Structures are given as C-alpha cells and as structure tokens.
Amino acid sequence: MPPQQGTSRLSRSPGRLLAFSDGVFAIAVTLLVLEIQPPRDFGHLVRGLGALWPSYLAYTLSFLLIGQVWVNHHVMFDRVRHVDRGVLFLNTLLLMVIAFLPFSTSLLAEALRAEQGLRASVVVYGGTLWMAAALFNIIWAHLRRAGLLDRSLGPFAVRAIGRRFALALLWIGSGILVGAFVPVAGVVIIAAFLPAYYLPIRGEYGEDDNAADQPV
C-alpha cells in the first residue's frame, strides 16, 4: 500500500514499543521485592520482621511510583499515531532510568536502616525519578514537534498533559533540594507526588477541546 501524502514512508506503530516498555516496568517492580531479605534470626522472627520497615517503606513507595510512571506512559502513548527513531531512543533512555530504580530503592532502604548516608541516598533516589520526569517532558516535546500525536487530541489536552509532565520536574526537584538538608522531609515531598499524579488529567480524553482557545 503506497504511503499517504504528508506521511513518512515507514510508519512504525507504537505497539511494540509499549509491549517492550510494559515488560521493563514489570521486571522493575518485581526486582524491588528482592531487596527485602528475610531475617536470619528465626528465634526472634517478629522482631526481625519489624526491623525490615525501611525495606517495606522503600518497596511500597517505589512500587507505587513505578506504577504511576507506567500509567502516565500509557496516557502519553495512547495518543501517539506512530513513532520514529527519536522516540525509540528516548523511550529506551526512560526505560534505562526505570530499570535503575530498584538500585536506588535498595540504597534508600539501607541508608534508613543504617541511619547513615540518608541525605545522599535521598538525592540519588529523587534524582532517578527526576531523570524519568525529564525524559517524559523530552519525549512529549518530541512527539509534538514531530507531529506524531493523534490528530484527535486537541490543543487543550496537549497543553494539559504537557503541564502535568512539567510540574513533575518542579515537584520532584523540590523534594531533592529539601532532602539534601532534611532527608525525611524530602521523602515526604516525593511521596506526596503519588496521589496527585494518579489522578486523571483534565482534557486527556478530549472533553475540553472546545476550550483550546481559552487562556491558560
């Protein structure tokens, strides 16, 4: 079938990209639980299980954060018509950061357990999430610039999704900055990022496209 006028000769469907990405997300959340090692002293098992609270905390936070990234990854790619090499490369970088998160999680848990190096571990943990947020913004900008988004996605929705992704940089960045001085407060700020970013984005389903020309 000849290519339509105004389109590239090779039109790559995002299907394989999403399938590969889902696999990486699934492996990353599975690896998180491997950081939680059973207590060695079964004579005081309850006490030993309780002492693992830093691992439980880091596991829960990271699992929900990766789940959040997965949700917003689908919000982005559900409205993509096709992908180019740029998108494939940028998405690979995003997955590389996601695959690094189990290490950052383990680092944070060990620092909480040892009560040492907590500032550095929060900065590394937050920095990993910030890199993921930065790549989301870069991918979204590339999709818009290259005209790869579904034409049914109106200007209002495009701006709304872009604003949500941009806000993540400021939110996580503030958590890193605070965490460098007050680690617990930094973790709380990053954790507060969770409920807000699981909420739907106004306009993502095109319901506010008629408001595209309104000031924002």
Side-chain angles (χ1 to χ4, degrees):
M1 182 175 180
Q4 298 179 356
Q5 187 177 2
T7 62
S8 62
R9 291 184 61 86
L10 177 61
S11 180
R12 295 186 179 91
S13 167
R16 292 187 66 185
L17 178 148
L18 284 170
F20 178 66
S21 300
D22 286 349
V24 173
F25 285 125
I27 292 171
V29 295
T30 302
L31 290 175
L32 291 174
V33 76
L34 298 181
E35 192 278 328
I36 307 178
Q37 299 295 321
R40 296 185 178 181
D41 184 3
F42 277 73
H44 302 87
L45 185 57
V46 174
R47 183 188 306 170
L49 289 171
L52 292 174
W53 70 265
S55 295
Y56 304 147
L57 174 63
Y59 167 79
T60 302
L61 180 61
S62 293
F63 197 106
L64 292 175
L65 282 168
I66 292 176
Q68 180 193 87
V69 174
W70 175 77
V71 167
N72 285 283
H73 191 267
H74 274 276
V75 168
M76 179 162 57
F77 279 98
D78 283 349
R79 306 311 293 266
V80 173
R81 292 184 294 119
H82 57 268
V83 297
D84 59 12
R85 281 183 176 269
V87 175
L88 295 176
F89 173 71
L90 292 171
N91 190 71
T92 299
L93 294 181
L94 174 62
L95 296 179
M96 182 175 68
V97 173
I98 296 302
F100 187 78
L101 195 55
F103 169 78
S104 300
T105 301
S106 178
L107 191 69
L108 178 63
E110 290 298 329
L112 285 168
R113 188 176 295 112
E115 298 183 351
Q116 294 180 337
L118 195 52
R119 292 181 181 180
S121 68
V122 171
V123 170
V124 171
Y125 186 80
T128 304
L129 296 171
W130 191 91
M131 284 299 300
L135 284 163
F136 258 88
N137 281 271
I138 294 171
I139 293 171
W140 187 246
H142 178 80
L143 290 169
R144 294 180 62 181
R145 185 171 57 253
L148 301 176
L149 293 173
D150 191 331
R151 293 188 179 92
S152 67
L153 190 65
F156 183 93
V158 170
R159 291 198 300 268
I161 294 172
R163 283 196 301 267
R164 175 72 68 91
F165 292 163
L167 179 60
L169 291 173
L170 297 176
W171 196 320
I172 298 173
S174 65
I176 296 171
L177 183 61
V178 172
F181 299 95
V182 186
V184 174
V187 173
V188 170
I189 291 174
I190 293 172
F193 178 73
L194 279 167
Y197 273 71
Y198 268 113
L199 295 174
I201 302 173
R202 181 186 172 191
E204 70 176 279
Y205 299 109
E207 66 274 22
D208 289 301
D209 285 345
N210 58 351
D213 295 327
Q214 296 180 3
V216 293

